């Protein structure tokens, strides 16, 4: 007898999942690229139809190379209509299907999203991640997934890219599952050997979290997750605050489990949230994925144009072009010209060279898309990459890029720090087998780097030279100069912490105050008739009188010199 309750449970789909599951799969494919990006179909429900029928153009045009019947075209049009989509040209036009297949097979997939993510993460993880965690969590950090992966590698290679690309990611925590055929641990020694007091973390893609129920704090009360076993069969795991139940695709119970964590041990971490949704994240790379798609489509047009123009047409005198389309060729495969009786000259053969202006525009458009992607990602545009010629950045442009890039990376680093802190707190709950106290949760502190050193050595040297030149003539307007010099230094040292910036401001204030005192003493010396010697200490007059006599600290400096 069928389990009707289980069947109803596994058929649940959250409205937000139904709206965004196609977007999530497209973003993941944009990051991964390859064949999944080439042949993806985001119109069908992958859960309801784990093995969809092959596209019409692949089944008919490529495999059999036969024209489709009107009944087949109607069937494909109907299939597309049921998906509430405009039918693709590959489904209703065999000729368009062949062209589509050519574009798919020959157009390289751009890796714009992956390249941008890796460049950002390489900068962030080049610095040290500081962690202050309890001892049991520190042991978990060395092996987060039960396969020997440490937290640094897990975050950088798995969690961070998917979280930033998708805008959200679910992290699941549990004790290691006892394998089939193994006995349940009975003693403390068995527990230590089996490891059920340990914690194993895993990721769950948002496309596989098909239904959920949130409490008032936007945390999971129930979650339904799609899993696929090694044989490819679809299974469903229903999590609650007290345990989980595993169902097959018919709603029959396969296995159950209990836990004492006090909540569903799954946490959804966000980069940012969509304002009109409760449990959907906003991807910061969605615009870059759109630009990648535009580049891919533009390149496919160029590929098609190059193919069509790779064999140019030969034109010649019409008397040579007979009905059988054969042209006589002389010895050594020489094509003879036809003599023009009227002019006495020869009519030459020519190849048709189609205009290339459209192709040039398309190539320029791909460059523009790439530049726009760099601007979206706050990546510095190097000199010489402008399509109109070699262009060098001005000092203002470099400073702006440094400040904007540092702010962007700091924001990304803050997102990763919050995600890692959430992971450590849920791991602590699983390790303790209970809800942690507020003191235990507050003991977990994760700090990601905020300084990224985006300036080159040449740019740093120029900044030091500019600062020294400014300081050499400072002292006339102490308050204004202090504020302007501090802003200059803080823009060069973008990302420095508040404590360091406060120390820098104090140092600038002291230096400006000293310069002001020296200028005041020079002015007094000039008024008293003692002209200062520019080769001497600013505090010593040319008569040998120490102008800093009333200042013990200044006198010590003068005596030392």
């Amino acid at each position: 007898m069928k389990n009707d309750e289980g069947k109803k449970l596994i058929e649940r789909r959250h409205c937000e999942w139904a709206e965004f599951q196609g977007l999530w799969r497209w973003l993941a494919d944009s990051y991964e690229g390859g064949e999944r990006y080439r042949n993806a179909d985001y119109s069908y429900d992958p859960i309801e139809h784990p093995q969809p029928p092959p596209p019409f153009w692949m089944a008919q045009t490529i495999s059999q190379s036969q024209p489709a019947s009107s009944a087949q075209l109607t069937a494909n049009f109907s299939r597309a209509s049921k998906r509430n989509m405009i039918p693709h040209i590959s489904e209703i036009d065999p000729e368009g299907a062949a062209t589509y297949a050519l574009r798919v097979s020959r157009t390289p997939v751009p890796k714009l999203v992956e390249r941008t993510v890796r460049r950002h993460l390489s900068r962030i993880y080049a610095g040290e991640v500081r962690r202050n965690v309890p001892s049991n969590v520190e042991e978990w950090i060395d092996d987060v997934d039960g396969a020997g992966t440490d937290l640094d590698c897990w975050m950088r290679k798995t969690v961070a890219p998917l979280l930033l690309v998708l805008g959200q990611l679910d992290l699941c925590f549990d004790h290691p599952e006892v394998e089939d055929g193994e006995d349940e641990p009975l003693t403390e020694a068995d527990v230590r050997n089996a490891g059920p007091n340990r914690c194993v973390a895993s990721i769950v893609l948002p496309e596989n979290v098909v239904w959920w129920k949130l409490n008032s704090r936007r945390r999971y009360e129930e979650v339904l997750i799609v899993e696929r076993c090694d044989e490819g069969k679809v299974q469903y795991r229903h999590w609650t605050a007290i345990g989980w139940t595993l169902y097959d695709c018919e709603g029959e119970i396969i296995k159950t489990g209990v836990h004492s964590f006090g909540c569903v041990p799954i946490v959804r971490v966000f980069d940012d949230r969509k304002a009109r949704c409760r449990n959907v994240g906003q991807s910061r790379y969605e615009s870059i994925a759109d630009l990648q798609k535009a580049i891919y489509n533009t390149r496919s047009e160029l590929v098609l144009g190059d193919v069509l123009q790779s064999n140019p047409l030969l034109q010649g005198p019409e008397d040579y072009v007979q009905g059988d389309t054969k042209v006589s060729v002389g010895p050594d495969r020489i094509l003879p010209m036809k003599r023009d009786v009227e002019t006495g000259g020869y009519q030459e053969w020519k190849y048709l060279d189609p205009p290339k202006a459209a192709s040039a525009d398309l190539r320029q458009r791909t460059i523009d898309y790439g530049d726009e992607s760099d601007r979206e990602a706050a990546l510095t545009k190097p000199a010489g990459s402008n399509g109109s010629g070699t262009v060098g950045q001005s000092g203002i442009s470099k400073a702006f890029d440094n400040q904007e890039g540092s702010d962007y990376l700091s924001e990304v680093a803050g997102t990763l720090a919050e995600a890692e802190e959430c992971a450590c707190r849920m791991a602590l709950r699983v390790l303790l087998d209970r809800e942690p106290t507020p003191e235990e949760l507050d003991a977990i502190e994760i700090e990601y780097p905020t300084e990224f050193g985006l300036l080159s050595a040449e740019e740093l040297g120029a900044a030091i030279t500019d600062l020294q030149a400014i300081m050499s003539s400072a002292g006339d307007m102490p308050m204004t100069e202090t504020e302007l010099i501090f802003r200059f230094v803080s823009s060069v040292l973008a990302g420095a912490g508040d404590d360091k910036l406060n120390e820098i401001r104090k140092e600038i204030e002291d230096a400006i105050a000293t310069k002001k005192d020296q200028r005041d003493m020079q002015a007094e010396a000039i008024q008293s008739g003692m002209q200062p010697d520019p080769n001497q200490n600013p505090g010593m007059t040319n008569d040998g009188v120490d102008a800093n006599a009333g200042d013990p600290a200044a006198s010590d400096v003068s005596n030392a010199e």
Side-chain angles (χ1 to χ4, degrees):
M1 194 174 170
K2 296 292 184 181
N3 186 353
D4 294 335
E5 293 297 327
K7 187 68 172 178
K8 292 179 181 179
L9 175 65
I10 66 174
E11 289 177 350
R12 294 178 180 177
R13 297 293 181 269
H14 199 281
C15 59
E16 292 181 350
W17 177 90
E19 181 179 357
F20 293 102
Q21 56 91 13
L23 172 65
W24 295 331
R25 288 189 287 131
W26 171 65
L27 290 172
D29 289 344
S30 298
Y31 172 72
E32 185 176 326
E35 292 303 312
R36 288 191 175 182
Y37 190 83
R38 293 179 190 272
N39 302 314
D41 185 357
Y42 305 109
S43 58
Y44 66 90
D45 183 345
I47 310 304
E48 297 294 342
H49 309 284
Q51 294 182 343
F56 170 73
W57 62 267
M58 182 180 296
Q60 295 292 331
T61 307
I62 295 180
S63 301
Q64 302 176 8
S65 300
Q66 295 177 353
S69 64
S70 58
Q72 290 172 329
L73 295 178
T74 303
N76 282 278
F77 184 90
S78 176
R79 183 161 59 110
S81 301
K82 290 180 179 179
R83 301 192 309 240
N84 296 322
M85 293 185 60
I86 299 175
H88 195 275
I89 187 174
S90 63
E91 296 180 316
I92 61 176
D93 183 10
E95 216 173 290
T99 302
Y100 177 76
L102 183 144
R103 294 188 185 192
V104 168
S105 62
R106 295 194 178 186
T107 304
V109 177
K111 302 299 287 288
L112 207 62
V113 175
E114 181 190 10
R115 184 189 67 188
T116 304
V117 171
R118 290 191 181 278
R119 290 176 70 179
H120 287 163
L121 294 182
S122 63
R123 283 289 187 179
I124 293 174
Y125 284 102
E128 179 185 2
V129 179
R130 297 182 178 89
R131 300 183 178 94
N132 183 17
V133 296
S135 57
N136 54 352
V137 177
E138 191 170 352
E139 294 178 2
W140 171 78
I141 286 177
D142 296 332
D143 182 10
V144 298
D145 59 356
T149 306
D150 59 34
L151 185 58
D152 281 318
C153 182
W154 189 59
M155 285 293 300
R156 179 173 183 173
K157 299 293 186 180
T158 304
V159 175
L162 292 174
L163 169 59
L164 297 177
V165 170
L166 300 174
Q168 63 190 34
L169 191 65
D170 288 275
L171 308 179
C172 181
F173 301 82
D174 197 5
H175 293 307
E177 189 173 354
V178 178
E179 300 292 339
D180 294 337
E182 295 183 4
D183 296 331
E184 292 286 344
L186 300 176
T187 65
E188 291 186 4
D190 294 333
V191 170
R192 288 192 298 271
N193 293 332
N197 60 334
R198 295 170 47 238
C199 175
V200 173
S202 60
I203 65 167
V204 185
L205 295 175
E207 65 189 71
N208 294 328
V209 184
V210 297
W211 179 83
W212 60 82
K213 181 181 179 182
L214 303 179
N215 58 20
S216 58
R217 302 177 65 184
R218 291 190 177 183
R219 294 180 179 177
Y220 287 129
E221 284 188 1
E222 296 181 58
V223 184
L224 181 62
I225 294 176
V226 174
E227 301 177 359
R228 289 179 175 84
C229 59
D230 294 337
E231 293 80 13
K233 295 181 179 179
V234 177
Q235 298 176 344
Y236 299 84
R237 193 181 298 267
H238 178 226
W239 285 90
T240 65
I242 60 174
W244 53 265
T245 305
L246 186 65
Y247 297 91
D248 63 12
C249 59
E250 299 296 332
E252 297 294 330
I253 297 177
I254 301 176
K255 190 186 296 185
T256 60
V258 296
H259 61 76
S260 55
F261 309 143
C263 70
V264 175
I266 300 175
V267 57
R268 174 164 285 189
V269 291
F270 296 89
D271 184 4
D272 199 1
R273 292 177 183 265
K274 287 189 178 292
R276 296 182 295 174
C277 300
R278 293 193 66 199
N279 201 40
V280 178
Q282 176 65 51
S283 170
R284 69 173 59 241
Y285 295 107
E286 184 175 346
S287 59
I288 298 178
D290 279 327
L291 292 171
Q292 175 175 304
K293 180 175 64 174
I295 292 176
Y296 184 61
N297 292 334
T298 304
R299 284 182 178 177
S300 73
E301 296 291 341
L302 291 173
V303 166
L304 179 63
D306 292 342
V307 170
L308 296 178
Q309 299 173 19
S310 60
N311 296 300
L313 297 177
L314 180 64
Q315 64 177 354
E318 61 180 351
D319 294 345
Y320 274 92
V321 182
Q322 304 300 327
D324 56 2
T325 66
K326 293 180 180 180
V327 177
S328 301
V329 178
D332 297 328
R333 302 186 63 81
I334 297 177
L335 187 67
M337 288 186 178
K338 181 177 178 61
R339 186 177 182 86
D340 190 342
V341 180
E342 296 180 359
T343 62
Y346 290 90
Q347 299 180 17
E348 61 179 342
W349 295 83
K350 294 181 180 179
Y351 280 103
L352 288 177
D353 187 15
K356 299 296 191 298
S359 297
D361 290 342
L362 289 177
R363 288 184 171 87
Q364 181 59 46
R365 191 176 302 173
T366 59
I367 297 175
D368 295 340
Y369 287 150
D371 292 344
E372 186 176 352
S373 170
D374 287 342
R375 289 192 294 271
E376 285 284 338
L379 296 174
T380 302
K381 184 179 177 61
S385 63
N386 192 307
S388 60
T390 301
V391 178
Q393 289 176 301
S394 66
I396 296 176
S397 176
K398 291 178 181 179
F400 178 78
D401 287 335
N402 176 54
Q403 184 68 49
E404 183 188 21
S406 181
D407 293 343
Y408 192 96
L409 292 177
S410 297
E411 185 178 345
V412 175
T415 294
L416 299 180
E418 292 177 4
E420 189 170 319
E421 187 172 316
C422 289
C424 290
R425 290 186 174 187
M426 186 59 73
L428 177 62
R429 179 186 291 265
V430 173
L431 292 170
L432 296 175
D433 263 328
R434 59 173 174 81
E435 182 178 358
T437 63
E439 292 76 14
E440 291 173 330
L441 294 176
D442 292 340
I444 297 176
E445 296 179 355
I446 307 295
E447 183 180 351
Y448 267 61
T450 57
E451 297 182 64
F452 306 103
L454 301 182
L455 294 180
S456 64
E458 181 182 358
E459 294 167 347
L460 281 174
I464 294 173
T465 302
D466 293 342
L467 178 62
Q468 291 174 342
I470 294 172
M471 290 299 300
S472 65
S473 59
D476 292 334
M477 304 173 64
M479 182 180 299
T480 303
E481 291 170 343
T482 298
E483 186 65 28
L484 293 178
I485 293 174
F486 174 74
R487 293 190 180 187
F488 172 77
V489 174
S490 61
S491 66
V492 174
L493 302 178
D498 292 339
D499 294 339
K500 180 179 290 188
L501 291 177
N502 290 334
E503 294 177 3
I504 291 174
R505 176 179 281 275
K506 181 65 169 59
E507 187 177 53
I508 294 173
E509 290 174 351
D510 294 342
I512 295 296
T514 302
K515 298 289 291 186
K516 179 180 182 303
D517 293 341
Q518 293 175 354
R519 286 183 174 275
D520 291 342
M521 287 185 288
Q522 289 179 355
E524 292 176 0
I526 292 175
Q527 291 178 358
S528 61
M530 296 180 293
Q531 298 296 329
D533 186 354
N535 296 323
Q536 293 183 354
N537 188 294
M540 185 73 70
T541 67
N542 57 2
D543 293 336
V545 179
D546 188 359
N548 297 323
D551 187 352
S555 299
D556 292 343
V557 173
S558 300
N559 294 334
E561 295 180 353

